[in-house]
Amino acid sequence: MKPCHPKTPKDSNVTTSAPSKYLFGGRLLLAILALSMGGFGIGVTEFSLMGLLQEGAADLSVSNSQMGLMISAYAIGVVIGAPLLTALAAKIPRKRAVLLLMLFFTIANLSSAFAPDYGTMLVTRFLAGLPHGAYFGLAGVLAGSLVPGSMRGRAIAWVMLGLSVANVAGVPLVTRLGQLTGWRAMFVVVAVVGLITMLMIAAFVPWHKAEAGASMRRELSALKNVQVWMAMGTGIVGFGGFFAVYSYISPTLTEEAGLDINLVPWALALYGLGMVVGSLAGGRLADWSIFGSIKLTNLIMVAAMLVFAAVTSWIVPTLIMVFVLGAVGSLLIPSLQTLLMDSAPHAQSLAASLNHSALNVANALGAALGAAVISAGFGYRAPSIVGAGLAVLGFLLAWATQIRAKKIGLLVGSEAVAAREQADSK
């Protein structure tokens, strides 16, 4: 007797409510781990330089302020590369695109390891920054497509978690390695991480066809969207002060707090641990309220900057605030990326990558402002005061962006997800 398989409406609903494109359990974990490994490598190359600022300056025979411009060169590469490379990859399946971006990133970091002088190093750091924003943008959208809409913020945060873990483990270890064997060893380590990332993505991330109707023109249409620019401005201003402080964290710890330079890597581990906590909390905040999360985080950042400026003469309170600054900075990232994606729903890849353009404009701005106030003789406390002022402006911009979103009827966060799922079910 043949088995009976009744096809009831209820059964049909169950079948279609969990599309096969979604991953669960171990498969999801491995796919997310592969994508976040790229974030780990990017985090190591971006943030280790800040911990090796003095060693790099001595090797290249330049000042700390000049070495700070190396950070700006990388950031400018991110700003230019994010929209350019994302638009060029519009018709390529996202898995292939992130593999190509990671290959570019690996080769660029190897070129930094062998750069013979300061000018060449500036160029190689610029090149290494080009795939940064595009990778995170495409990896974030790819991760979000692997989970149900209610988990989108957390999926994006999980990819960004690689950046946070880099600051807990990768940056301190590579910083110490650089102190012992030469600061250029950092670039070799990053290249190895890039190779491992490519192997993991190839093995564990599923293939999907390129998005129907995707084109360079459609992706670049995000740049015509006023709401996208307002969201970017919120990130640039809010994060500018954060990077003004963190770009000079090593000399601040040694010259203001009196920390032994050999202990700087472990202080950076505290910052990274804060980033991990902030990333995990930030993903949940993004799934709760996009604008609420952004405004709240900016206010917390104002307080954290002022406290940091007040306590930098004492080692223990300073180290506590290093942890707090790492947590507060990471709280903001998932909400900003989700806001950008929802501000340009037909060009989500480019919009997501623009989050990292915004963060790295903030990086360049912060490093430059920090150099300016330090060079003017105000000392290493001054960037914290600048940072608090910029966070206030970030709060005001977020508020203005929210008002305009309501005015034009733009749905963001959970409301946008609910609207899309309802449209898909019809």
Side-chain angles (χ1 to χ4, degrees), residues 392-403:
V392 170
L393 292 178
F395 173 85
L396 295 175
L397 268 173
W399 193 6
T401 305
Q402 182 180 21
I403 291 172

Side-chain angles (χ1 to χ4, degrees), residues 116-318:
D117 52 42
Y118 178 74
T120 306
M121 183 67 78
L122 277 176
V123 173
T124 62
R125 293 309 292 159
F126 168 79
L127 292 174
L130 287 174
H132 175 132
Y135 177 85
F136 273 122
L138 288 166
V141 174
L142 184 54
S145 72
L146 300 178
V147 298
S150 60
M151 296 176 62
R152 186 177 55 148
R154 275 165 283 180
I156 292 170
W158 292 336
V159 172
M160 295 301 301
L161 194 60
L163 193 67
S164 304
V165 173
N167 283 274
V168 176
V171 172
L173 291 175
V174 169
T175 300
R176 188 58 181 155
L177 177 66
Q179 291 174 337
L180 294 173
T181 65
W183 71 291
R184 293 171 186 264
M186 169 187 74
F187 304 116
V188 178
V189 172
V190 170
V192 172
V193 172
L195 178 61
I196 294 171
T197 299
M198 287 186 284
L199 294 174
M200 290 182 67
I201 291 174
F204 301 127
V205 176
W207 284 99
H208 292 299
K209 293 181 180 179
E211 188 177 354
S215 68
M216 182 183 296
R217 177 177 294 181
R218 193 176 81 170
E219 289 293 331
L220 290 175
S221 67
L223 298 177
K224 299 178 181 179
N225 190 323
V226 173
Q227 198 70 18
V228 167
W229 285 102
M230 291 183 71
M232 283 185 66
T234 300
I236 290 168
V237 174
F239 261 95
F242 169 79
F243 281 111
V245 175
Y246 191 65
S247 295
Y248 301 95
I249 193 67
S250 177
T252 300
L253 290 170
T254 56
E255 297 187 26
E256 292 287 343
L259 188 72
D260 188 296
I261 193 168
N262 292 319
L263 297 178
V264 168
W266 310 114
L268 297 180
L270 281 176
Y271 170 83
L273 186 61
M275 284 189 72
V276 171
V277 173
S279 293
L280 293 173
R284 290 195 171 272
L285 283 174
D287 286 331
W288 161 67
S289 171
I290 298 300
F291 284 113
S293 173
I294 294 172
K295 291 188 293 184
L296 176 63
T297 301
N298 272 290
L299 291 177
I300 296 173
M301 194 177 294
V302 173
M305 292 289 183
L306 294 177
V307 172
F308 185 77
V311 304
T312 50
S313 295
W314 300 279
I315 291 178
V316 173
T318 299

Side-chain angles (χ1 to χ4, degrees), residues 89-110:
K91 294 185 176 182
I92 302 174
R94 290 191 180 114
K95 176 176 177 176
R96 183 176 298 162
V98 295
L99 283 169
L100 290 172
L101 288 167
M102 190 48 54
L103 177 62
F104 188 111
F105 173 80
T106 301
I107 293 171
N109 274 279
L110 273 178

